[in-house]
Amino acid sequence: MYLASTGAVAQGDPAAKAPEQSEVRRGRVAGPVLALGAVSLVTDISSEMVTAVLPLYFVLQLGLSPLQFGFLDGLYNGVTALVRLAGGYAADRGGRHKLVAGGGYALSALSRLGLLLAGGATAGIGAALAADRVGKGVRTAPRDALISLSSPPDALGHAFGVHRAMDTTGALLGPLAAFALLWATADAYDAVFVVSFCFGLLGVLMLMAFVPSQPLQHTGAPARSVAKPPGKALDLLRVPAFRRVLGAAALLGAATIGDAFLYLLLQRRLDFAVSWFPLLPLGAAAVYLLLAIPAGRIADRTGRRVPFLAGHAALLGGYVLLLAPTDGWPLLIGVLLLLGVFYAATDGVLMALVTPVVAPERRASGMAVLQTGQALARLVAAAGFGAAWTLWGVGPALTCACVALGAALAGAAVLLPRTERQT
């Protein structure tokens, strides 16, 4: 456990330790975690207002093929690779987690103005989306490092679960806001972009006002400053336990097709009106919201390896369901339910899983390397599935995805360390 030194704790005063132990037993979440959750909530409202309609816009309005859409979808997720590493290293260098995260949030907010100024031009929209992805890549690792540094090691799953639940609340409200705006303004996308920018700016202001500049340990004392530089982020690949977690996450990521493909497949199978398409993410987000905190608590009690693998097994179930002759409401509810379970059991749990194998002074760098590996792997998965769909059709492409994810699950079960220990 990484505790900031105070006089009473250093001298072993039991009275000084009692509040900390009581706090952990009651399952409280640190103030900075709640503040970061609130920032993520309003930022996700901003981002999901825009992204909820993009698959529909690209495929049905611009007429892109599944291969082209798969490349773009993977590119916007993979473009963050280098900036994740740079953001993680910059955050660790001098403990500037809040400053680096704030820059990423600000860039994402400004990208909404880019969408407004693009005027419908594909190149301009692409540039604005790339700026949003860069902002997300810069802020994610420093933000998650702040969460881990502000939480006790035996409650990391709970802390990340609370944050992800708040984050997902924004993801739930964003498409609803976009749907309501488009309905009220007769499809005026400019109104969506303006409101999205306002929410993004609010997130930046909340970060500046309520998140402390120095990460707080769960004792409530500021973390000690790092005396030595964090070193190169890729030096973490020399740590066997970290290497195993990274390998497992990348292997599973390479077999995980994007959510947008699942939503497009649902729309294709069920043939509902395209005006309802932006509401599809709400089902998965609602399940994620309900299960994120329980999944984090279970991971803290039973170990984080099993829930992480179980979440990918749920995703595999969603793929199989899309291949099955199921139709109507059972198909819709089943796929969205399994997708929500997947995110609840994997997103925050993966960050809690890697935290014990990365020292505090390298925490943001370690998370950046892990997130980069996963993003690049999902770039391969998105492009590969799009190519398979274009060349062979939906059925063979989904069959290949099922086989790939099943094989990846077996490989990850071997790779993931069975014990969680600090290096």
Side-chain angles (χ1 to χ4, degrees):
M1 295 173 66
Y2 292 90
L3 307 180
S5 297
T6 63
V9 173
Q11 295 170 14
D13 184 354
K17 295 182 181 180
E20 170 204 335
Q21 294 168 350
S22 176
E23 179 180 344
V24 173
R25 283 197 300 268
R26 287 196 299 266
R28 291 182 179 176
V29 175
V33 177
L34 295 176
L36 287 165
V39 171
S40 294
L41 190 156
V42 297
T43 302
D44 250 33
I45 292 176
S46 170
S47 61
E48 293 302 323
M49 286 181 67
V50 175
T51 58
V53 299
L54 287 182
L56 195 65
Y57 175 75
F58 280 133
V59 174
L60 299 184
Q61 185 166 334
L62 294 184
L64 299 184
S65 71
L67 174 60
Q68 292 171 314
F69 175 72
F71 177 77
L72 285 175
D73 183 60
L75 178 63
Y76 290 137
N77 287 288
V79 74
T80 61
L82 293 179
V83 295
R84 283 180 193 269
L85 297 177
Y89 180 81
D92 283 337
R93 192 84 177 179
R96 295 176 293 185
H97 300 81
K98 177 181 174 179
L99 179 63
V100 175
Y105 280 110
L107 181 58
S108 291
L110 291 174
S111 72
R112 312 293 181 244
L113 292 182
L115 288 171
L116 187 64
L117 297 174
T122 304
I125 291 174
L129 292 176
D132 176 56
R133 294 297 90 187
V134 169
K136 183 176 177 62
V138 166
R139 71 178 183 254
T140 301
R143 180 204 65 199
D144 285 348
L146 280 170
I147 295 171
S148 70
L149 291 168
S150 302
S151 307
D154 57 354
L156 284 167
H158 184 203
F160 278 105
V162 168
H163 174 270
R164 293 321 196 246
M166 297 178 73
D167 183 87
T168 306
T169 300
L172 195 64
L173 295 175
L176 281 175
F179 183 81
L181 274 172
L182 290 177
W183 177 80
T185 60
D187 294 338
Y189 284 90
D190 286 357
V192 175
F193 300 152
V194 170
V195 175
S196 174
F197 168 72
C198 292
F199 273 106
L201 182 61
L202 176 61
V204 175
L205 295 176
M206 291 174 63
L207 178 78
M208 300 297 294
F210 300 114
V211 177
S213 297
Q214 292 296 325
L216 301 181
Q217 299 294 356
H218 62 277
T219 53
R224 290 174 294 181
S225 60
V226 178
K228 58 182 180 179
K232 295 180 180 178
L234 294 181
D235 287 346
L236 289 162
L237 297 179
R238 299 175 183 174
V239 180
F242 178 82
R243 197 164 58 238
R244 291 167 73 90
V245 174
L246 174 62
L251 183 63
L252 290 166
T256 303
I257 65 176
D259 298 354
F261 275 122
L262 298 182
Y263 300 144
L264 287 170
L265 289 171
L266 281 173
Q267 197 278 333
R268 181 189 180 100
R269 281 280 301 274
L270 301 178
D271 195 28
F272 51 78
V274 295
S275 60
W276 295 100
F277 186 88
L279 299 181
L280 280 179
L282 299 184
V287 176
Y288 186 8
L289 174 62
L290 291 174
L291 297 182
I293 296 176
R297 286 177 170 169
I298 291 172
D300 287 334
R301 293 171 183 170
T302 65
R304 292 142 194 163
R305 178 179 179 273
V306 173
F308 183 69
L309 294 173
H312 284 87
L315 182 63
L316 177 59
Y319 294 176
V320 172
L321 196 57
L322 281 167
L323 277 174
T326 311
D327 214 341
W329 285 103
L331 175 64
L332 178 65
I333 294 173
V335 171
L336 295 181
L337 175 65
L338 290 169
L339 185 60
V341 170
F342 161 67
Y343 279 112
T346 60
D347 189 12
V349 171
L350 178 59
M351 295 299 101
L353 180 64
V354 78
T355 292
V357 302
V358 181
E361 65 270 15
R362 309 178 77 178
R363 189 67 49 79
S365 297
M367 290 180 170
V369 171
L370 179 63
Q371 293 159 359
T372 295
Q374 193 176 51
L376 292 177
R378 288 181 175 177
L379 167 61
V380 173
F385 183 78
W389 184 352
T390 300
L391 296 175
W392 304 329
V394 174
L398 263 178
T399 301
C400 290
C402 289
V403 172
L405 185 53
L409 267 169
V414 174
L415 279 174
L416 282 175
R418 296 181 178 273
T419 58
E420 297 169 10
R421 57 185 176 81
Q422 180 72 48
T423 58

